[in-house]
Amino acid sequence: ALAEALNADPQALAARDKEGLTLLHVAARAGAVDAVEFFLGRGALLNAEAENPSRATPLLEAAACDDRAASRRICAALVSRGGELNARG
């Protein structure tokens, strides 16, 4: 269903929610490893800053995930693809 939705509206990958977060931000914070991998494979903006005062990147969101195992996997995936380690979120 997610693939179909993005095929129908490819711009949705870069869309922001009311908190200024992209789908990648939300998936990273939720610990949704498969969704993060899917979004990265579709070209999600790896170092997109949240459009809110936190300016958090998906990597910072992943680090804040309560599921430590998922957090580690997502952080590793983001860093291996060039996730910015020195973000100032």
Side-chain angles (χ1 to χ4, degrees), residues 6 8 10 17 22 27 38-39 45-46 55 59 61 63-64 67 70 76 80:
L6 287 176
D17 66 9
T22 66
F38 177 77
F39 296 144
L45 297 174
L46 183 62
R55 308 303 294 167
L59 182 58
E61 293 290 346
D67 180 337
S80 72

Side-chain angles (χ1 to χ4, degrees), residues 2-74:
L2 187 55
E4 292 174 11
L6 287 176
N7 286 338
D9 183 11
Q11 297 301 319
L13 195 57
R16 306 287 179 140
D17 66 9
K18 65 182 178 183
E19 296 176 17
L21 305 174
T22 66
L23 289 170
L24 184 58
H25 284 95
V26 174
R29 173 60 79 103
V33 177
D34 291 339
V36 167
E37 292 285 352
F38 177 77
F39 296 144
L40 291 172
R42 288 292 186 113
L45 297 174
L46 183 62
N47 292 308
E49 292 183 350
E51 292 179 355
N52 63 40
S54 79
R55 308 303 294 167
T57 64
L59 182 58
L60 290 171
E61 293 290 346
C65 174
D66 290 333
D67 180 337
R68 302 318 303 160
S71 174
R72 284 190 296 275
R73 289 181 59 198
I74 293 169

